[in-house]
Amino acid sequence: MIRIASSLLARPMLFVLAGIGITLATTAVTVVSLYEMRLDAMAQARDAAENLVISLQKETERNLDIYQLAMHDVAMTIQTPSLSGLSPETRQLIAFSTISNAKEPGVLFATDAAGTIVFGSRSLDSLKPNVSERDYFQIQRQQKHAGLFLSEPFLSHTSDPPQPEIALSRRLDDGNGQFAGIVAGTLRLNYFRHLFEGSILGRHGTITLLRTDGTVLMRYPFHAGDIGSSLAKGHSLDPLVQSDHGTYIDIAVLDHVERLYSFRRIGSYPLIVVVGLATGDIYAGWRKRAMAIGAVTVILDAFFISLSLMFARQLRKRLAMECQLRQLAWFDSLTGLPNRALLQRESLRVLTNHSRDAASFATLFIDLDRFKRVNDTQGHAVGDEVLSEIGRRLREHVQADDVIGRLGGDEFLAILQRSDVLKATQIAGRILNDVYRPIVINSKHDTGITISASIGIAIYPHDGQDTDALLRNADLAMYQAKSAGRNQVRFYAPEYERQAKEHLELEIALQRALRSNALSVAYQPKVDAAGILRGAEALARWHSDKHGQVAPDRFIAIAEESGLIAEMDAWVMGEACRQLAEWRAAGVIVPNLSVNVCAADFRRPDYPEFVARTLLAHGLTPEDLTLEMTERVLFDESAEDVRKSLDAVHALGVAFSIDDFGTGYSSLSYLRRFAVKELKIDKSFVQGIGGDAKAESLAQTLINIGDVLKLTVTAEGVETAAQRDFLGQHGCHLYQGYLFSPPLPPADFRCWAETNAARAAHAQRSCASEPG
């Protein structure tokens, strides 16, 4: 370096040329950088506008959905024939019982066919008595399939001074499909004004809420004259209407300011929210920075310091790139924790050190419980937020020499150096407690998610001599923790490997059994208080040549884990329907068969058609079949495919029964949404009768629920006369259990049914022969 510098000083022209070259190079670098900064300013503004418009769109859509749901509940209540006999005050109270869920303050009301308001969420004195002249009434009266209609802005007469409002309306039809009025809700446009006011837009930024025909509903900054004005003449309206979302630069029709606009369609509503950031505001900061950078560059070029700055800048770029590449190669982009590749390298390093020192260390396999439900119900964005927070919490529980990383999905791995069983137990316990703390996903509304974890632990060298064995054994221990009820810690034991192999063997054997029709179906009677057969439940049974009689709970769990459950349920349904048809052909009267189903069945796109084909193939009617499902199936009805399939099966006329009611996600809401015919009291409640007051109270409560909702209540697991008598005294309709009969093979069930029918006939003749 000294030799090169001396050469330049010895040749002034070369030094000047080098200086000119460096100056030109630094000037070019500066120009490119300023251009990139300009692009960055626009990109940041674009991101800010898109994020803001997404936030406003989601907030507006969510509140409109809530408001529309309240309107739907009002319409359903008004159109429910069973409520027509109630007093108007009572019907109004029921119709608007859910209005408190609507965040936007407004008025819900229903009219008759003439436009006169007959029900309202507020006092009728404060409402316009007739809305027949309003556009939202005219459209619904004239167009049978108008659906949800959003009105033109109008001035409210329910506030002083009058405030601009819009209205959402839906058509009400009578039993003959003729127009019977509307159900509508008004929304004060000041709601959107208040929603927009907290946004950071710059001096000339705007937020506009439009109807898809170009009508301005609200504009911020607020000017009363903007409401109701039209942007239909603007050449940018067509892209707004034709696309769900987008970003563009245009000159505003109203104030002729050039802005960067980002817009989004609000769900299925004829509404568009547009955020506009003035390009002058966007580039204002950039202009200041450009002038400063330009001045500094000129000074540095003049003093011949640009050379050192160029090297420094290149060095910073190189270091940043190397850091980024290292981050991508070795660290998880979501949580910032070491990824699988780095974990493998660190595991090998820890193993080498501890084998040399003859020391022990612990491998913790951490798996979140039911994390898939978070993604399915809350979306992957919330799922990522949960994983990021869990990663942050896990990082707090390891020391500087320990290793914590993410294997992938919802699986994490911790390596605790110089750790024995006691230390591993303590840290694992702290991890469980910390993971279980609620995770706030919406601080504005104080919304949180609670999730648990299952942890498996393997200790070196007792549980493995290499990293693969330790990881595999910790994984086996983790599955044991899940099997024990989740939110547990389990240490590896050699029998876990044996159990895993046995589990795999059973899964393979179950696959073969399904392919070769090696399963069987047993039938357990359902009787009334007099002991008369009222139906039967079809139950899958499996006798393996190698494993003997496999318990249903075990092989059904294997079927669910391996994805065989839908195939097995389909086979059981087909076999049960075939058997019912065979019994009836032989004169054996079995009123109805119940078949167990799960959520996986309803996710099959052809499931309703499969049910219909199966009934038709065996000459049965939908009334001959009842589908028994746990509460979890209805909990999963939030998934679109499950909900549609449930509705389609119900449309066939097949009845639904809720199995093990009261032990899962008990909610009366799905008993209202679906035509459930039967509630089955779980055997855990029935077995407690006579010795557990709480079990008796719960059983009585479930019977009362069934009575109020006019559902058939069936008690499972009835084993004693005392249990039957208690249930009968409180109104239980049907019984199922070993007191009457265990599950029986088809031939034995036929004998039982024939004996039962003969006994019932004899009892009936005896009653008939008794004197009046």
Side-chain angles (χ1 to χ4, degrees):
M1 181 62 72
I2 295 174
R3 190 175 302 168
I4 294 174
S6 300
S7 176
L8 288 174
L9 291 173
R11 298 183 179 185
M13 185 56 68
L14 292 178
F15 185 85
V16 172
L17 291 176
I20 292 174
I22 292 173
T23 301
L24 291 175
T26 54
T27 301
V29 169
T30 301
V31 171
V32 172
S33 298
L34 290 175
Y35 178 71
E36 290 178 349
M37 289 172 62
R38 180 182 173 91
L39 294 179
D40 288 343
M42 178 58 71
Q44 291 175 10
R46 186 184 300 269
D47 290 342
E50 290 176 350
N51 291 336
L52 178 56
V53 79
I54 288 172
S55 175
L56 295 173
Q57 179 256 339
K58 288 184 177 179
E59 178 69 13
T60 304
E61 182 180 356
R62 188 173 66 84
N63 283 290
L64 288 176
D65 286 345
I66 293 174
Y67 209 50
Q68 186 183 175
L69 180 61
M71 291 171 55
H72 181 267
D73 288 348
V74 170
M76 291 297 293
T77 305
I78 291 174
Q79 293 178 320
T80 300
S82 62
L83 301 178
S84 60
L86 301 177
S87 66
E89 293 78 10
T90 303
R91 292 184 68 194
Q92 175 151 331
L93 179 62
I94 296 174
F96 299 99
S97 61
T98 61
I99 185 60
S100 60
N101 292 330
K103 179 181 178 183
E104 160 57 23
V107 179
L108 286 182
F109 60 90
T111 75
D112 58 17
T116 301
I117 296 175
V118 294
F119 290 102
S121 60
R122 299 182 183 172
S123 172
L124 292 179
D125 294 336
S126 65
L127 298 174
K128 185 177 177 64
N130 190 284
V131 296
S132 60
E133 297 303 319
R134 296 292 192 189
D135 60 342
Y136 56 84
F137 181 88
Q138 295 288 340
I139 289 293
Q140 298 294 355
R141 180 169 60 184
Q142 297 167 8
Q143 300 180 20
K144 183 176 180 64
H145 301 290
L148 182 70
F149 177 75
L150 185 71
S151 75
E152 293 275 352
F154 59 90
L155 289 178
S156 167
H157 297 287
T158 62
S159 59
D160 188 20
Q163 298 291 329
E165 295 184 345
I166 56 175
L168 298 167
S169 68
R170 282 192 177 279
R171 177 186 176 105
L172 296 176
D173 289 332
D174 59 19
N176 297 320
Q178 300 300 314
F179 179 69
I182 67 168
V183 58
T186 62
L187 298 170
R188 288 200 293 271
L189 292 177
N190 273 345
Y191 159 70
F192 301 104
R193 178 180 175 183
H194 297 323
L195 179 63
F196 297 165
E197 283 177 348
S199 304
I200 300 175
L201 301 171
R203 293 180 58 189
H204 303 94
T206 63
I207 302 176
T208 308
L209 182 68
L210 303 171
R211 285 202 325 180
T212 51
D213 62 358
T215 302
V216 177
L217 302 182
M218 178 55 63
R219 190 170 186 267
Y220 177 76
F222 176 75
H223 300 287
D226 292 340
I227 297 179
S229 61
S230 176
L231 302 182
K233 295 182 180 179
H235 61 273
S236 298
L237 181 63
D238 288 342
L240 288 176
V241 175
Q242 295 170 2
S243 302
D244 290 335
H245 59 85
T247 304
Y248 64 96
I249 297 177
D250 197 9
I251 297 176
V253 175
L254 297 179
D255 57 11
H256 308 291
V257 175
E258 183 184 73
R259 294 185 177 89
L260 167 71
Y261 291 102
S262 183
F263 68 93
R264 291 188 80 86
R265 182 77 172 262
I266 299 178
S268 59
Y269 301 95
L271 290 173
I272 303 170
V273 61
V274 185
V275 172
L277 302 180
T279 54
D281 295 340
I282 294 172
Y283 293 130
W286 172 83
R287 290 191 185 97
K288 294 179 181 180
R289 291 193 297 271
M291 292 178 64
I293 293 174
V296 170
T297 302
V298 170
I299 294 172
L300 293 177
D301 284 344
F303 287 94
F304 204 68
I305 306 176
S306 56
L307 183 61
S308 60
L309 293 177
M310 181 185 68
F311 282 122
R313 188 168 181 269
Q314 295 299 324
L315 180 59
R316 285 195 300 269
K317 281 187 175 181
R318 182 172 181 176
L319 291 175
M321 183 177 297
E322 289 178 354
C323 181
Q324 183 178 8
L325 291 174
R326 180 176 179 274
Q327 190 74 19
L328 292 174
W330 299 110
F331 291 89
D332 175 55
S333 60
L334 180 62
T335 62
L337 296 174
N339 60 18
R340 180 182 288 270
L342 183 55
L343 282 172
Q344 290 177 342
R345 191 178 74 171
E346 289 298 300
S347 299
L348 183 59
R349 179 185 62 81
V350 172
L351 178 67
T352 302
N353 293 339
H354 285 70
S355 61
R356 181 175 60 246
D357 300 339
S360 64
F361 67 89
T363 299
L364 278 63
F365 196 110
I366 306 164
D367 187 89
L368 301 184
D369 297 328
R370 299 189 177 97
F371 177 75
K372 183 177 182 297
R373 185 175 298 280
V374 176
N375 277 336
D376 292 343
T377 60
Q378 303 295 327
H380 288 277
V382 173
D384 289 347
E385 187 176 345
V386 170
L387 289 174
S388 180
E389 174 61 18
I390 293 297
R392 186 193 65 77
R393 294 182 184 181
L394 291 177
R395 192 182 293 112
E396 296 176 353
H397 291 282
V398 296
Q399 300 175 356
D401 294 336
D402 297 334
V403 181
I404 180 72
R406 182 185 177 201
L407 289 171
D410 60 344
E411 297 177 343
F412 298 85
L413 185 71
I415 301 174
L416 308 180
Q417 301 195 53
R418 309 287 175 180
S419 174
D420 55 12
V421 172
L422 179 60
K423 179 181 176 181
T425 301
Q426 293 173 344
I427 293 179
R430 290 199 294 267
I431 288 175
L432 289 186
N433 292 333
D434 206 17
V435 168
Y436 196 69
R437 287 191 295 110
I439 299 173
V440 177
I441 61 173
N442 190 329
S443 58
K444 182 176 180 180
H445 299 286
D446 196 24
T447 303
I449 287 178
T450 300
I451 197 168
S452 62
S454 298
I455 301 179
I457 304 176
I459 304 293
Y460 172 85
H462 308 290
D463 300 331
Q465 301 292 324
D466 56 66
T467 56
D468 290 340
L470 289 169
L471 180 62
R472 181 179 65 254
N473 292 338
D475 189 16
L476 288 172
M478 181 274 296
Y479 276 106
Q480 289 297 320
K482 285 190 179 293
S483 299
R486 297 181 174 86
N487 196 29
Q488 304 280 335
V489 177
R490 288 292 183 272
F491 283 85
Y492 170 76
E495 60 264 24
Y496 293 168
E497 192 165 0
R498 177 188 57 78
Q499 293 173 3
K501 291 181 180 178
E502 183 179 340
H503 185 95
L504 179 60
E505 290 178 359
L506 280 173
E507 181 180 331
I508 296 173
L510 180 58
Q511 291 178 351
R512 293 173 178 169
L514 279 171
R515 303 296 185 269
S516 59
N517 290 329
L519 298 181
S520 62
V521 180
Y523 302 87
Q524 188 170 33
K526 296 162 65 174
V527 301
D528 60 15
I532 298 174
L533 179 65
R534 298 300 181 187
E537 180 179 359
L539 300 166
R541 293 293 183 264
W542 179 28
H543 181 83
S544 169
D545 293 339
K546 180 177 180 180
H547 303 283
Q549 193 70 30
V550 184
D553 290 346
R554 189 174 187 189
F555 73 79
I556 290 174
I558 292 174
E560 290 177 341
E561 292 176 9
S562 61
L564 296 171
I565 189 66
E567 181 181 354
M568 187 174 73
D569 285 352
W571 180 85
V572 171
M573 180 179 292
E575 181 64 16
C577 290
R578 182 200 64 77
Q579 185 63 66
L580 180 60
E582 179 180 310
W583 281 333
R584 290 186 174 177
V588 180
I589 304 302
V590 180
N592 177 276
L593 271 187
S594 298
V595 177
N596 291 284
V597 292
C598 65
D601 297 323
F602 291 100
R603 289 194 179 98
R604 288 177 48 185
D606 64 337
Y607 190 67
E609 292 79 5
F610 165 73
V611 174
R613 289 196 310 268
T614 302
L615 292 171
L616 182 63
H618 298 288
L620 302 177
T621 66
E623 291 75 17
D624 295 326
L625 180 65
T626 297
L627 299 184
E628 287 194 14
M629 63 193 77
T630 62
E631 297 171 85
R632 181 174 179 179
V633 176
L634 295 184
F635 183 81
D636 285 341
E637 62 86 18
S638 57
E640 184 69 14
D641 50 356
V642 174
R643 183 186 61 79
K644 287 183 178 180
S645 190
L646 281 166
D647 291 339
V649 172
H650 173 246
L652 295 175
V654 175
F656 292 147
S657 172
I658 307 302
D659 198 9
D660 302 336
F661 187 75
T663 62
Y665 308 93
S666 299
S667 171
L668 298 181
S669 62
Y670 53 64
L671 297 182
R672 177 177 59 85
R673 289 198 301 272
F674 298 98
V676 176
K677 178 183 178 182
E678 179 186 42
L679 293 183
K680 300 191 75 174
I681 303 175
D682 185 63
K683 61 183 179 182
S684 62
F685 300 143
V686 175
Q687 290 172 352
I689 292 174
D692 187 343
K694 290 184 179 180
E696 293 177 349
S697 297
L698 287 171
Q700 186 176 351
T701 299
L702 296 178
I703 294 172
N704 291 338
I705 291 174
D707 183 57
V708 171
L709 298 178
K710 294 181 172 51
L711 304 177
T712 300
V713 179
T714 301
E716 294 183 301
V718 180
E719 298 180 355
T720 68
Q723 293 169 352
R724 177 199 59 196
D725 296 341
F726 176 87
L727 294 166
Q729 290 170 5
H730 291 90
C732 185
H733 304 106
L734 299 179
Y735 308 88
Q736 186 177 342
Y738 277 66
L739 178 64
F740 308 99
S741 173
L744 300 171
D748 294 343
F749 182 89
R750 173 176 178 174
C751 295
W752 187 95
E754 290 173 341
T755 302
N756 180 269
R759 186 167 55 249
H762 175 73
Q764 185 175 8
R765 288 193 301 270
S766 298
C767 293
S769 63
E770 292 179 359

